[in-house]
Amino acid sequence: GELFTFGYGSNGQLGHGGEQTEDVPRPVGALAGKKVVGAAAGMSHTAAWTEAGELFTFGSGYHGQLGHGGEQTQTEAVPRLVQGLAGKKVVGVAAGGNHTAVWTDAGELFTFGDGAYGRLGHGGQENELVPRLVQALAGKKVVGAAAGDEHTAVWTEEGKLFTFGDGWLGRLGHGGEEGELGPRLVEALAGKKVVGV
């Protein structure tokens, strides 16, 4: 359950309290005593979740991708608990360039950060500074997500794939290059059970 980070640390995304680069793996001291079961790395932010279902984020929060709300859009150089998910059990996270997608054991999907192109799936393009439930997927059990720079893909327990965000070069799989502001079922995979993206 120990978390080690290394590489470029200019925005605090390594979680060691500074912005130094680490060229060998170094344990993240702020999470000592927590059993980390997963981590996701965006362009300049990191998310880690524990066996207990707590979500910690650190690094650049410029677009709200750390999920701490209010004016807390600055750099966090050590892991900070995302209070907006208190009472939820986080079981997975996908980190995009400047946005974050989180799913819970109940199958709920929350997104936050840069909302441009609709990559958060809320029907608009506003940034979200705290985790917001993707209402369009209510009633579906989300079991995974992948986050690109400007789009997001989500799959359900049933094996259906939904995509949203920037559709440039056909990355959403809907037969064109149009963007989607909310989750749209990828019809070309009907009859298949998607288990990963």
Side-chain angles (χ1 to χ4, degrees):
E2 295 173 292
L3 179 68
F4 292 79
T5 59
F6 44 100
Y8 191 50
S10 71
N11 291 287
Q13 65 263 48
L14 300 183
H16 302 304
E19 298 191 351
Q20 68 278 13
T21 293
E22 299 287 344
D23 56 10
V24 295
R26 178 178 169 191
V28 178
L31 292 174
K34 303 278 185 187
K35 186 167 184 183
V36 174
V37 294
M43 182 168 62
S44 58
H45 77 293
T46 307
W49 62 100
T50 68
E51 188 174 53
E54 298 170 303
L55 177 65
F56 294 84
T57 58
F58 44 103
S60 172
Y62 181 72
H63 299 274
Q65 66 265 43
L66 299 184
H68 301 304
E71 297 302 312
Q72 303 301 322
T73 54
Q74 78 275 8
T75 293
E76 297 284 347
V78 295
R80 181 174 171 191
L81 182 67
V82 178
Q83 298 287 353
L85 291 169
K88 305 285 184 184
K89 184 172 183 180
V90 172
V91 295
V93 178
N98 293 306
H99 75 294
T100 308
V102 176
W103 59 101
T104 68
D105 64 341
E108 298 170 302
L109 180 73
F110 294 84
T111 60
F112 45 100
D114 188 346
Y117 304 105
R119 73 190 88 184
L120 299 182
H122 301 301
Q125 299 191 60
E126 297 79 21
N127 290 1
E128 298 290 341
L129 304 184
V130 295
R132 181 177 171 190
L133 180 69
V134 178
Q135 295 285 355
L137 293 171
K140 301 181 184 345
K141 185 165 186 181
V142 172
V143 295
D149 270 353
E150 296 169 347
H151 75 298
T152 307
V154 176
W155 61 101
T156 66
E157 187 175 54
E158 193 179 7
K160 294 188 174 179
L161 177 67
F162 296 83
T163 59
F164 43 101
D166 185 8
W168 188 53
L169 300 177
R171 70 186 81 181
L172 300 184
H174 303 303
E177 294 194 24
E178 298 79 21
E180 297 291 336
L181 298 180
R184 180 177 170 188
L185 180 68
V186 179
E187 300 282 358
L189 291 171
K192 309 283 187 190
K193 182 170 184 180
V194 173
V195 297
V197 176

